[in-house]
Amino acid sequence: MLVYECELFEVVPVLRRYARALTGATDRGDALVTRCVEAAVMAPTRFGLDRGGDGARLSMYALLNLLFDRSPEEFGPPGRPLPSPHPIERALAELPEADRRLYLLTALEGLSLPQAAKVLQLRTGEAILRLKSARARVRSTMVQRVMVVEDNALLAMELGALVAEMGHVVCGTAGNEPEALALLDAEKPTLALLDVRLADGGSGIEIARRLKRVRDLRTIFVTAFDDDILARDARHLGQIVRKPFTNAGIQAAISRAIFMPQPVALA
């Protein structure tokens, strides 16, 4: 029994990680792991604890899936984890259940495709197609439609190039508030990069306030006048990247914005 206990000691941490992702909740995931360990201890050879290594780990993943499917009222309906603000988790929740588990086992747990296919009892060819589809759908949810509000044409082009380099879409540029609001209505951006002081005397801060009233859009201020943002009590409206900006600074801010809770559209 000592050998089995050592094997369980090694595998439980990874089981908890997978179970929490599978159920969408920490408490339900931990309850699922507890049930899994209890079942494995009752029949250690059946679940590969006598063999150890990858065999035991794969068997325990399969057992977790089985118990989850058999007790939806206890651990939550398969494929229906609790709503999450995290964009990847939201994307995964919309996948077919087999695709979701395949993605979790490969991306989160680091299993090879053949190993994950074995856990889920899928043919390798089918697993390849499912994983390719899952990855494409997850990637698509991360692509942002970015509006650039910048009255300097060269800077606007530079920001647009950085956005495109990250794989996002520049849906338009604006140099003043009317243009920004027109883009908001026509192009449905999901993220805005805003200068603070505009050449026509306009204010990126006021544009951000209008954008928030019309649609709770995520914003990033790209400015040399961050003191204006603090003075006008506008820090809550978005992140700040100081000019002169670096490529890494802009890209890091965009990445952070993607993983913020998705704002709710008001109109």
Side-chain angles (χ1 to χ4, degrees), residues 40-129:
V41 168
M42 294 296 293
T45 57
R46 179 181 177 185
F47 297 107
L49 296 183
D50 57 329
R51 299 191 303 272
D54 286 341
R57 184 183 177 199
L58 298 184
S59 294
M60 295 294 280
Y61 282 134
L63 178 57
L64 273 178
N65 286 326
L66 178 64
L67 293 173
F68 182 51
D69 291 337
R70 285 184 174 179
S71 303
E73 71 288 346
E74 182 176 358
F75 304 117
R80 304 290 181 182
L82 295 176
S84 169
H86 195 293
I88 292 181
E89 291 176 351
R90 290 198 308 271
L92 290 176
E94 296 174 359
L95 293 176
E97 183 61 8
D99 296 16
R100 184 175 78 96
R101 296 185 190 187
L102 190 61
Y103 188 97
L104 289 174
L105 287 170
T106 54
L108 181 66
E109 298 304 311
L111 298 189
S112 68
L113 184 62
Q115 287 176 323
K118 181 178 180 181
V119 169
L120 298 174
Q121 298 182 336
L122 297 173
R123 294 188 300 275
T124 300
E126 179 185 359
I128 290 173
L129 293 176

Side-chain angles (χ1 to χ4, degrees), residues 188-206:
K188 304 296 187 294
T190 58
L191 176 67
L193 303 182
L194 300 168
D195 191 9
V196 168
R197 294 187 183 179
L198 301 174
D200 68 349
S203 167
I205 296 172
E206 290 310 308

Side-chain angles (χ1 to χ4, degrees), residues 184 188-189 208-217 262-267:
L184 180 70
K188 304 296 187 294
R209 293 191 196 279
R210 287 288 301 273
L211 294 178
K212 189 173 182 64
R213 285 196 293 269
V214 176
R215 178 181 299 144
D216 202 356
L217 194 68
Q262 180 68 42
V264 178
L266 302 179

